[in-house]
Amino acid sequence: MDGSGLPQFIATGITQGAIYALVAVGFNLVYSATGIINFAQGEFVMLGGMFAVTCYSMLHLPLALAVVLPIAAVMLVGAGVHYFTIRPLRRAHLLTLIMVTVGVSVALRGLAKVVWGADAYPLPPFSAGESLSLAGANINPQSLWVMACAAATGAALTLFLRCTLQGRAMVACALNRRAAQLVGIRVERMHMWAFALAGGVGAIAGSVLAPIALPSYDVGLALALKGFCAAVLGGIGSNAGALLGGVLVGLLESLGAGYVSSGYKDAFAFFVLLLVLLLRPSGLLNVPTRREER
Amino acid sequence: MLPDGHSLLRLQSVRVAYDGVEALKGISLHVNEGEIVALVGANGAGKSTTLNAISGILPLRAGEMEFLGQSLVGRRPDEIVALGITQVPEGRQVFSEMTVLDNLRMGAYLRLRRRDRAGVREDLERILAMFPLLDERRRQPAGTLSGGEQQMLAVGRALMARPRLLLLDEPTIGLAPQVAHQILETIARLREQGTTILLVEQNVLASLRVADRGYVLETGRVVLEGPSEELLRNRDVQRAYLGKDYEEV
Ligand SMILES: Nc1ncnc2c1ncn2[C@@H]1O[C@H](COP(=O)(O)OP(=O)(O)OP(=O)(O)O)[C@@H](O)[C@H]1O
Ligand SMILES: [Mg+2]
């Protein structure tokens, strides 16, 4: 954050917003398939970052490998979370399951603290190079990586859910679980895949963010809350909405910190979330709210 | 029609319980190839429970179920569909935010996984031709269809799996008489095309009229069974179920 003034605030806001968007995309994925808001999504991001720095600084793997391996690892974590906590409770109420994800998030955070301690670890930027100067703002290459990853992941998942058989089946599970079972979809297995993919998306966010903000065991909570704001702003379930919502939250935060007070940085996002929930609960893009009894 | 010993579907003393409370207390029934069999009874008699047990959604507490000579007990719902039994559930249960086309495609989920694309495309056109109302609305979200149209969609979706046995749970409930009539005609037409049907209905008169045979369920037990004409003539059936129906239809 070398530059100052409006252009720099905007650039910083968009970068940060792209991360929130990635978290929101993870929320959307689990929600689209299961109806659950997975509050462990922030921990998936944290784990992605921690695995990446571990692979890089401790195991001395090449950077590319250190970024890709965590994706598979956190996918496994996601599948495990489903298998060991959500699946055994599949007959429970949706709210119960959401509370379970809160518990999982606390547990993963605690586990991470035991494994990695309270230190933060660095990861080098994905590509070297000078910062880009654009209209008075300095945009470093890693910011571009963040934005590209957010856009690409959002687009890829949207394509997957809209255009592929398994993607449609995943959506079908959330729209009507009974009907999905009756056409031969293995609902539990689909849910597991949704959690696994959400883990993968979280890992992407975690490792692309690591060079900008050093990961430590406790970064998940704030990311989950901001990402949740972004998802709700955009209308939960919509990935285009998640991108928009993420960038909005990021911008608000950065502009609020720049012009009002950095002490209230987090409050701005939540204030807007409250406004949206009150005035337009279906989100800015007006996605119809949907849930049926399970 | 196969002789009785070779029924397509056979249930023997099937018991099913919800949280320890038995809803089916030993149901035995069979469906022969090419038949329409009606399963009638009052609210809570256990009709839907029977269909869900067959579909593998509810576990059996005791008893035996066979389809084409293979046991169905302990099989997953997707395995049951793959064997050739598809259910049209109570209350239609279409995927309301998916288009009509997507709903129909989801019906062929297992076939599409086996990459039977050509066959699925063919069936899609056949089913849309069978339900012209759906064809007109093929790109419309299923939730925007009328009740009758949704019921047709639910039947169409089930047919996309190419079932040998179709389980229909109250397909005419809540529909205007003409629409209900249309649905029952469709059912008769399906049978002519070779689909065997187990039809659950509260509309006893109408369902016994399209069915070859019927079973009357009462609180989890079969209390009467026989050819439809016999049941329609039966005094108990007339008193219990047909009194009102006679005036309505
Ligand atoms: N999910 C459930 N949990 C507990 N009990 C249930 C459940 N579903 C059904 N029952 C009970 O099982 C019995 C049979 O229900 P079922 O739904 O099979 O009846 P039905 O014949 O289909 O009735 P209807 O004509 O109203 O659809 C009823 O006493 C009902 O209360
Ligand atoms: Mg019923």
Side-chain angles (χ1 to χ4, degrees):
Chain A
M1 261 192 263
D2 322 318
S4 60
L6 187 61
Q8 189 60 45
F9 292 148
I10 290 177
T12 310
I14 292 178
T15 306
Q16 197 58 36
I19 289 292
Y20 299 152
L22 267 173
V23 181
V25 164
F27 273 119
N28 281 344
L29 191 57
V30 168
Y31 178 82
S32 296
T34 68
I36 296 172
I37 308 286
N38 168 33
F39 281 103
Q41 188 63 37
E43 271 60 43
F44 290 171
V45 179
M46 176 273 289
L47 285 176
M50 294 311 267
F51 283 146
V53 294
T54 307
C55 287
Y56 186 78
S57 346
M58 298 182 195
L59 304 177
H60 306 292
L61 296 178
L63 183 61
L65 212 54
V67 168
V68 172
L69 273 184
I71 297 178
V74 185
M75 279 182 81
L76 264 178
V77 172
V81 164
H82 173 265
Y83 191 85
F84 291 109
T85 70
I86 304 294
R87 205 183 77 112
L89 293 173
R90 58 182 172 272
R91 301 205 192 290
H93 193 274
L94 211 49
L95 264 181
T96 313
L97 295 176
I98 293 174
M99 291 316 290
V100 165
T101 69
V102 175
V104 167
S105 119
V106 173
L108 288 177
R109 204 176 315 144
L111 215 63
K113 188 175 184 186
V114 171
V115 173
W116 286 286
D119 301 332
Y121 300 87
L123 193 73
F126 289 6
S127 51
E130 293 288 296
S131 285
L132 199 70
S133 233
L134 191 74
N138 281 326
I139 304 170
N140 60 37
Q142 192 64 24
S143 292
L144 297 178
W145 274 102
V146 170
M147 294 175 207
C149 281
T153 310
L157 283 178
T158 301
L159 271 180
F160 167 69
L161 290 174
R162 284 209 190 138
C163 304
T164 69
L165 178 66
Q166 298 297 10
R168 294 316 280 158
M170 211 173 251
V171 173
C173 289
L175 288 180
N176 194 316
R177 181 193 175 95
R178 171 57 53 89
Q181 268 181 315
L182 288 176
V183 299
I185 298 169
R186 295 181 67 176
V187 174
E188 289 307 321
R189 184 164 285 202
M190 279 295 164
H191 287 182
M192 193 188 74
W193 272 107
F195 271 87
L197 286 177
V201 171
I204 292 174
S207 41
V208 81
L209 175 64
I212 296 180
L214 306 185
S216 68
Y217 79 97
D218 59 353
V219 296
L221 182 62
L223 285 172
L225 289 174
K226 307 289 178 48
F228 181 65
C229 288
V232 173
L233 271 173
I236 190 141
S238 151
N239 285 335
L243 293 182
L244 180 74
V247 169
L248 266 177
V249 172
L251 280 175
L252 262 168
E253 215 180 73
S254 143
L255 293 175
Y259 288 115
V260 186
S261 157
S262 57
Y264 291 112
K265 192 176 124 190
D266 292 344
F268 296 112
F270 298 129
F271 179 66
V272 172
L273 175 68
L274 279 181
L275 274 188
V276 169
L277 286 176
L278 284 174
L279 302 177
R280 209 179 161 92
S282 54
L284 295 176
L285 293 191
N286 207 8
V287 183
T289 38
R290 62 145 182 272
R291 273 315 302 160
E292 304 182 32
E293 44 97 39
R294 292 154 54 87
Chain B
M1 211 182 283
L2 295 166
D4 211 66
H6 302 271
S7 307
L8 194 58
L9 176 78
R10 175 178 289 280
L11 269 62
Q12 191 66 49
S13 313
V14 165
R15 288 171 184 273
V16 173
Y18 293 103
D19 303 320
V21 183
E22 255 184 9
L24 299 186
K25 299 165 183 158
I27 301 260
S28 299
L29 58 82
H30 66 273
V31 180
N32 296 323
E33 180 119 47
E35 273 188 318
I36 298 182
V37 173
L39 192 60
V40 299
N43 288 117
K47 306 179 297 290
S48 301
T49 305
T50 307
L51 295 194
N52 284 331
I54 297 171
S55 286
I57 287 186
L58 296 170
L60 295 204
R61 175 180 253 200
E64 186 45 61
M65 291 191 299
E66 277 183 0
F67 180 70
L68 290 167
Q70 302 180 58
S71 173
L72 296 181
V73 180
R75 289 191 198 257
R76 293 190 310 265
D78 58 297
E79 294 175 315
I80 308 265
V81 175
L83 281 174
I85 305 179
T86 312
Q87 185 190 146
V88 179
E90 196 168 10
R92 329 188 219 290
Q93 317 287 345
V94 294
F95 300 117
S96 51
E97 279 165 49
M98 287 189 182
T99 62
V100 166
L101 276 181
D102 268 1
N103 267 273
L104 292 174
R105 280 198 205 101
M106 282 333 292
Y109 173 73
L110 291 177
R111 295 172 62 198
L112 286 168
R113 283 198 58 182
R114 292 196 310 263
R115 311 209 175 280
D116 178 16
R117 295 222 181 86
V120 168
R121 207 171 309 130
E122 207 172 279
D123 284 1
L124 199 59
E125 289 313 319
R126 192 169 54 82
I127 282 162
L128 287 171
M130 195 166 148
F131 301 108
L133 282 175
L134 294 184
D135 199 5
E136 283 167 32
R137 293 164 174 71
R138 46 164 86 194
R139 299 198 190 284
Q140 215 167 297
T144 65
L145 302 183
S146 74
E149 289 160 355
Q150 288 192 15
Q151 187 63 58
M152 289 172 197
L153 181 57
V155 173
R157 181 179 65 189
L159 291 176
M160 287 300 293
R162 276 204 187 160
R164 284 189 73 164
L165 172 64
L166 189 62
L167 312 175
L168 289 166
D169 199 344
E170 309 210 20
T172 67
I173 199 164
L175 300 182
Q178 315 92 284
V179 186
H181 186 72
Q182 244 179 312
I183 299 275
L184 289 170
E185 267 183 358
T186 308
I187 292 169
R189 200 148 34 111
L190 286 174
R191 187 258 295 272
E192 279 160 28
Q193 293 165 9
T195 311
T196 307
I197 291 162
L198 180 57
L199 172 65
V200 161
E201 267 295 343
Q202 288 203 19
N203 187 343
V204 175
L205 180 61
S207 61
L208 285 177
R209 275 188 180 155
V210 294
D212 302 297
R213 289 189 302 115
Y215 292 85
V216 180
L217 280 193
E218 242 173 62
T219 56
R221 288 199 175 84
V222 175
V223 291
L224 265 178
E225 60 177 286
S228 302
E229 315 87 74
E230 243 171 63
L231 290 179
L232 282 168
R233 278 198 309 268
N234 184 293
R235 298 293 296 269
D236 292 334
V237 174
Q238 288 181 359
R239 219 182 3 252
Y241 300 104
L242 299 183
K244 234 175 109 216
D245 282 352
Y246 268 128
E247 288 145 28
E248 274 178 4
V249 181

